[in-house]
Structures are given as C-alpha cells and as structure tokens.
Amino acid sequence: MLRFVDLVSGKWAIPILYRLIVSGGPIRFSELQRAVAPITQKELTRHLRAFERKGLVERTVHAEVPVRVEYRVTGLGLTLEQPLAALADWADAHSARLGGGH
Amino acid sequence: MLRFVDLVSGKWAIPILYRLIVSGGPIRFSELQRAVAPITQKELTRHLRAFERKGLVERTVHAEVPVRVEYRVTGLGLTLEQPLAALADWADAHSARLGGGH
DNA sequence: CAGTATCCACAGGGATACTG
DNA sequence: CAGTATCCCTGTGGATACTG
C-alpha cells in the first residue's frame, strides 16, 4: 500500500475533507471552521491550500463586501467519499473503546 | 466525523496496520520491518506499542534463542480491513495524479 | 533477534496580532 | 470575512549505539 498519509496528511485533513464531501454544496470558510472546530484559521487555510494544489477542492472568491469565499470538493475529491465514509463508520463504531488507550 | 487520526496516527500507522491485516497470520518483527521498509526500529516499535494499547494488535514472545516475537491483528483490528482496503484502492488509483501537488 | 536509549532535526500545529 | 504573519512549543521521526 502506498503512503496514503502522504496524500492526505495532517491532524485535520480527514475531518475537513469529509465535511466538505458530506456538505454537498459550497461551504464558506467560517462555516467550515465552525463545523470542524476547534481548528485554527491557520491550520484550516493550510489544509485547504494543500487540497487545492492536489485538485481535491475548489475555491471561489465572491467580490462582495464583506468578502465571501466558498469551498467545494471537485469530482476527484468526491471519489474519496466511499473510503472516508467507511473510515467514519468505523471510527463511530469503535472510538469509545479506543479512546482509552492513550 | 470523529478524529480518525487520533485513533490511527503517524506516518507509518496505516502501512503497518494494513500489512498486518493482509498478512493474515502472525508476522515477526524483522519481517514486518522489511515489509514496511524503510521504517526504523524505533518507529515500528512505537507504532506497535500504540496498536497494542488500543487492542488492535497482539504481541507474542516466544522464549527461544534467539528471541522470536510475533504480531498479529486482533478481531478488532480486522474490522479495519474494509476501510483500509478502500483507502488503499483509492491511493493506488490516484497517487500518480496527486503526487505532483507538493 | 528485538528491542531500548540518546541525540537531534524539522514539520505540524497552537496562540495571538494584524490586514485587504 | 478570510485570511497573513509571527512566535514558540511539541511530537514525529531519523541515525546511531548499546543490550537481554
């Protein structure tokens, strides 16, 4: 198996991506930050930039005041839906038991 | 989605786990290290200890000379097979395209 | 063989302040 | 609002040497 971690890495990468995928449509920066709380602005920005570079996420800036920036997954990003959903289901089912292991 | 990364974290976590899962039976430390090369002893040990604490992996020491230590996934660890396989498939299919984005 | 013990480098990540 | 810019700390991870 190749290093999946090299493709989607970082503490918040999976939560962000999964949130973007399940949200369906475009989602604003602030809305995304609330959804993936307690992530910091810096980290959210960093991850989103990385996703953009990899073609997983698209960024749209609306020239309004105040500025509105929206993010949405690309077709490529959507192909992660099944794998991430499987992971999410697993985490939901076993997180209680695994949490004690620190 | 909960923090999957908190449950299975680290550069080598997924490669190690996936290797243990697909190998089916017990696998020795050195064998595992070769399979997940170029991981260092230290990192392999660290991850294996973490998996043990979480009940994902079992460790068996055979009192021989030289010592033989074998690892195998538990039933709980095996439940990760489908999610990780999905991830592996995805990585195989898209790693070429995503590699350029660094 | 299968570790443990050190030392060390660096990226990830948090907190805070500032800006177009 | 959606960032950028700093400062700083911690964990991750590599290299190397040593041991039951």
Side-chain angles (χ1 to χ4, degrees):
Chain A
M1 170 181 201
L2 294 171
R3 305 281 164 59
F4 170 76
V5 183
D6 288 345
L7 305 178
V8 179
S9 70
K11 182 175 178 181
W12 302 96
I14 292 183
I16 296 171
L17 261 181
Y18 195 59
R19 177 71 206 186
L20 282 165
I21 288 174
V22 298
S23 83
I27 179 171
R28 301 186 61 165
F29 184 88
S30 52
E31 192 180 350
L32 190 53
Q33 185 176 9
R34 260 178 282 110
V36 194
I39 191 174
T40 61
Q41 281 192 333
K42 174 186 164 185
E43 289 304 304
L44 180 53
T45 302
R46 250 192 51 215
H47 281 97
L48 286 171
R49 295 287 177 277
F51 293 151
E52 275 188 85
R53 271 187 285 110
K54 293 174 180 176
L56 296 172
V57 167
E58 272 179 7
R59 177 176 182 263
T60 310
V61 181
H62 298 269
E64 308 170 0
V65 178
V67 181
R68 178 165 51 104
V69 179
E70 289 180 329
Y71 295 89
R72 63 183 189 111
V73 289
T74 61
L76 178 59
L78 263 180
T79 62
L80 267 169
E81 180 168 15
Q82 287 313 310
L84 291 192
L87 232 43
D89 289 347
W90 185 89
D92 282 350
H94 300 285
S95 60
R97 182 204 289 236
L98 289 165
H102 289 300
Chain B
M1 167 181 203
L2 296 171
R3 304 280 165 61
F4 169 76
V5 184
D6 288 345
L7 305 179
V8 180
S9 70
K11 181 175 177 182
W12 301 97
I14 292 183
I16 295 171
L17 261 182
Y18 195 59
R19 178 68 205 189
L20 282 165
I21 289 173
V22 298
S23 83
I27 178 171
R28 302 186 60 164
F29 184 88
S30 52
E31 193 180 350
L32 190 54
Q33 185 175 8
R34 259 178 281 112
V36 194
I39 192 175
T40 61
Q41 280 193 333
K42 173 186 165 186
E43 289 305 305
L44 181 53
T45 301
R46 249 192 52 217
H47 280 96
L48 286 172
R49 293 286 177 281
F51 292 151
E52 274 188 85
R53 269 188 285 113
K54 293 173 181 175
L56 296 173
V57 167
E58 271 178 7
R59 178 176 181 262
T60 311
V61 181
H62 298 269
E64 307 171 359
V65 179
V67 182
R68 176 166 51 106
V69 178
E70 289 181 328
Y71 296 88
R72 65 186 188 109
V73 287
T74 62
L76 177 60
L78 262 181
T79 61
L80 266 169
E81 180 169 13
Q82 287 313 309
L84 291 192
L87 231 45
D89 289 347
W90 185 88
D92 281 349
H94 300 284
S95 60
R97 182 206 289 238
L98 289 165
H102 289 296

